[in-house]
Amino acid sequence: MNETELFDLLFRSYYQPLLVFAQQYVGDSDECRDIVSAVFEDLWRNFSRIDHQHMRAYLYTLVRNKCVDHLRHRGARQQYVDFVRILSDRFTDTDTLAEEDERRHRVRMMLAHLKPPADSIFRECFFHQKRYQQVADELGLSLSVVKKHMANALRILREKYLKKEQ
C-alpha cells in the first residue's frame, strides 16, 4: 500500500471519531472540523516522517493539542474583549469635545509605551480585528511571537493604566 492509499484509509477511518473527540473539548462543530482538518493537513505534510504503527495515538494527541491551543486562543481573545470593554467603559461617559480629545490622547499615550513590533501587532489585532495568524503572515513573524507580543502588550497596558486608575 502506497502513502496516498494509507493516508486515505487513515482519513476515512479516523476523521469522524476525531471529530467526536474534538467535540468533547471545543463544543463547536465547525471549529472541530477545522481542527481535525488541520490535523490531517499536518499529517499529510509529515507523513513520510511519522511512525505509522502508532498512528492512532499520534492523531488523537494532535487533535487534543490543537483543541487545547484553540481553547487557549479563545481564552486570550476573551481577555482582549474584556480589556476593550474596560477601556471603553472608562472612556465613554463624556459630554464635551475636549474630554473626547483627552480620551484619544490617553489611548495614544498608552500605545506609545509599546515598542515595535508589539505596537503594530496590537493595532492590527485590536483595531483592525485581524487574526494572529494573519498578522504573523503580514509581518513575517511566527504565530508564537505574535501571541507573546500581544500578551506582553496587554500586561503592560493593564499595569500602567488600569491598575493606576483604580
Side-chain angles (χ1 to χ4, degrees):
M1 181 178 292
N2 68 31
E3 283 188 350
T4 305
E5 291 169 338
L6 180 57
F7 179 84
D8 187 51
L9 177 65
L10 289 168
F11 183 84
R12 282 186 276 121
S13 300
Y14 287 107
Y15 185 83
Q16 194 62 38
L18 290 172
L19 277 177
V20 172
F21 181 68
Q23 188 80 25
Q24 295 171 1
Y25 284 95
V26 177
D28 183 287
S29 59
D30 289 335
E31 291 173 351
C32 291
R33 279 192 289 279
D34 290 344
I35 289 168
V36 173
S37 295
V39 164
F40 276 103
E41 183 179 328
D42 290 348
L43 176 66
W44 179 247
R45 274 194 234 121
N46 301 303
F47 201 68
S48 61
R49 294 179 287 206
I50 297 171
D51 179 9
H52 296 182
Q53 291 181 348
H54 299 95
M55 192 59 67
R56 182 178 187 278
Y58 179 77
L59 288 171
Y60 277 90
T61 300
L62 276 178
V63 169
R64 185 197 66 218
N65 291 346
K66 286 199 181 284
C67 287
V68 169
D69 288 346
H70 176 78
L71 293 172
R72 269 194 214 124
H73 180 73
R74 184 190 292 171
R77 176 160 274 210
Q78 186 59 46
Q79 285 179 350
Y80 303 147
V81 168
D82 294 343
F83 180 71
V84 168
R85 188 173 295 125
I86 289 169
L87 278 179
S88 66
D89 289 348
R90 291 178 188 257
F91 297 128
T92 53
D93 36 330
T94 63
D95 295 329
T96 66
L97 187 56
E99 289 172 339
E100 179 67 27
D101 287 340
E102 174 63 22
R103 275 198 312 274
R104 287 187 185 134
H105 175 71
R106 289 181 74 188
V107 170
R108 281 193 301 273
M109 292 301 294
M110 289 169 58
L111 292 174
H113 283 79
L114 300 178
K115 295 180 178 131
D119 59 344
S120 58
I121 291 170
F122 186 84
R123 288 176 206 277
E124 292 299 314
C125 290
F126 245 25
F127 298 121
H128 302 289
Q129 299 178 340
K130 293 182 180 177
R131 296 181 143 261
Y132 290 168
Q133 187 62 58
Q134 186 179 3
V135 173
D137 293 342
E138 288 175 4
L139 297 177
L141 301 170
S142 72
L143 181 60
S144 62
V145 168
V146 170
K147 289 179 182 180
K148 181 187 84 169
H149 281 295
M150 282 300 293
N152 287 336
L154 287 173
R155 181 186 48 78
I156 289 167
L157 294 176
R158 273 190 220 109
E159 288 173 359
K160 288 198 174 285
Y161 294 96
L162 296 181
K163 291 183 181 175
K164 184 192 292 186
E165 292 180 359
Q166 291 177 349

